[in-house]
């Protein structure tokens, strides 16, 4: 597949319910893989303008979903990318990254933060590791 920047788009909060049928399978897969967030929570945050949903359509089908949030920090606004899932997540992220970065810069963000697996660092030039996320289970998951 040849990535086309023109096919990157954001989902407006008022359109989330209309596109929910194609959003949910991606978000369910993200939940299954990461156990970090439910599709309902992502959809609720998007509808209430607490996050931004991005997607890519290759001309035949939707390829995935990316979610960003803007956090106010002592240094200014920080764009945090916290969901990335798709038919080919690496292709999706590599292709959409420039669009998200341009948008974040345009709204005044000083940086973009990505919390994800170690392999992303190799795929995203210019990003440096500033932390890792560790987890210790203290209660059995069912």
């Amino acid at each position: 597949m040849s990535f086309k920047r023109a096919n990157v788009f954001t989902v407006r909060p008022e359109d989330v319910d209309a596109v929910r049928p194609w959003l949910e399978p991606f978000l369910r897969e993200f939940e299954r893989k990461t156990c970090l967030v439910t599709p309902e929570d992502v959809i609720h945050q998007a509808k209430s303008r607490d996050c931004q949903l991005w997607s890519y359509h290759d001309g035949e089908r939707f390829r995935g979903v990316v979610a960003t949030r803007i956090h106010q920090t002592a240094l200014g606004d920080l764009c945090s990318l916290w969901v990335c899932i798709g038919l080919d997540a690496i292709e999706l992220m590599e292709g959409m990254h420039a669009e998200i970065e341009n948008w974040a810069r345009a709204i005044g963000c000083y940086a973009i933060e990505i919390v994800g697996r170690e392999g992303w660092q190799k795929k995203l030039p210019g990003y440096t590791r500033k932390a890792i996320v560790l987890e210790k289970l203290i209660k059995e998951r069912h």
Side-chain angles (χ1 to χ4, degrees):
M1 183 189 108
S2 162
F3 190 88
K4 295 181 179 120
R5 291 177 61 187
N7 293 0
V8 174
F9 64 95
T10 57
V11 178
R12 298 179 317 174
E14 58 270 21
D15 295 333
V16 171
D17 285 332
V19 299
R20 189 176 183 143
W22 62 261
L23 277 175
E24 275 191 336
F26 291 113
L27 296 175
R28 292 218 179 282
E29 180 68 8
F30 186 79
E31 176 187 34
R32 186 188 68 73
K33 285 183 172 183
T34 67
C35 299
L36 294 175
V37 65
T38 66
E40 293 77 19
D41 188 39
V42 176
I43 287 168
H44 172 75
Q45 288 188 49
K47 288 171 67 172
S48 63
R49 301 179 188 271
D50 292 329
C51 80
Q52 304 77 41
L53 294 181
W54 303 76
S55 192
Y56 180 76
H57 193 282
D58 68 5
E60 295 179 26
R61 62 184 170 169
F62 294 100
R63 305 280 300 176
V65 177
V66 173
T68 57
R69 286 189 278 219
I70 305 302
H71 300 281
Q72 294 177 341
T73 73
L75 298 174
D77 288 344
L78 171 69
C79 178
S80 175
L81 192 149
W82 59 291
V83 172
C84 181
I85 187 75
L87 301 178
D88 183 339
I90 302 240
E91 171 193 67
L92 182 72
M93 190 57 211
E94 286 177 340
M96 292 180 69
H97 178 261
E99 297 302 310
I100 293 170
E101 187 176 300
N102 288 339
W103 169 78
R105 188 179 296 110
I107 65 166
C109 291
Y110 74 91
I112 296 178
E113 172 183 82
I114 299 172
V115 176
R117 60 184 180 77
E118 190 173 338
W120 285 120
Q121 187 176 6
K122 296 175 192 167
K123 296 291 182 182
L124 296 169
Y127 279 78
T128 57
R129 185 184 306 189
K130 70 175 192 176
I132 60 172
V133 178
L134 300 173
E135 175 183 71
K136 178 182 179 182
L137 296 178
I138 57 173
K139 183 178 178 183
E140 194 174 319
R141 284 193 260 190
H142 297 280

